[in-house]
Amino acid sequence: MKNFENKIRKMKFSDLEKLQLEVRTKARRARSKEKEREYRNQFYMVTEEIDRRWTEWEKAGHGFQG
């Protein structure tokens, strides 16, 4: 899992969104509970990274000014 974390930290935002969709689909189609759990954990890690980047971006003053 550590390798996966390092991989997602280096990815571009658009690639993270694609990966999130891909991993979610794999989790749904997994044939074993173990694989499903692995893909679901990867999905949550990617989602956390996306959320972290969004909050950084908003803190920098780029967020929605409503």
Side-chain angles (χ1 to χ4, degrees):
M1 280 300 174
K2 198 67 174 170
N3 290 338
F4 188 75
E5 277 185 55
N6 291 336
K7 176 183 170 184
I8 62 175
R9 292 200 187 257
K10 295 176 184 175
M11 294 178 87
K12 287 191 272 180
F13 193 82
S14 59
D15 294 337
L16 276 177
E17 291 177 321
K18 290 176 191 171
L19 180 65
Q20 184 183 33
L21 181 63
E22 180 183 314
V23 174
R24 185 175 68 193
T25 304
K26 284 182 179 180
R28 286 185 183 157
R29 294 181 180 170
R31 294 175 185 245
S32 70
K33 287 290 181 186
E34 185 177 311
K35 276 293 183 186
E36 180 185 348
R37 193 175 307 118
E38 178 184 330
Y39 289 132
R40 197 163 302 281
N41 286 341
Q42 289 180 357
F43 172 75
Y44 291 135
M45 289 168 54
V46 172
T47 303
E48 287 175 5
E49 180 67 17
I50 289 173
D51 290 344
R52 186 186 67 76
R53 290 192 189 182
W54 259 110
T55 53
E56 276 183 14
W57 194 69
E58 288 176 336
K59 284 181 184 175
H62 302 291
F64 298 108
Q65 308 292 324

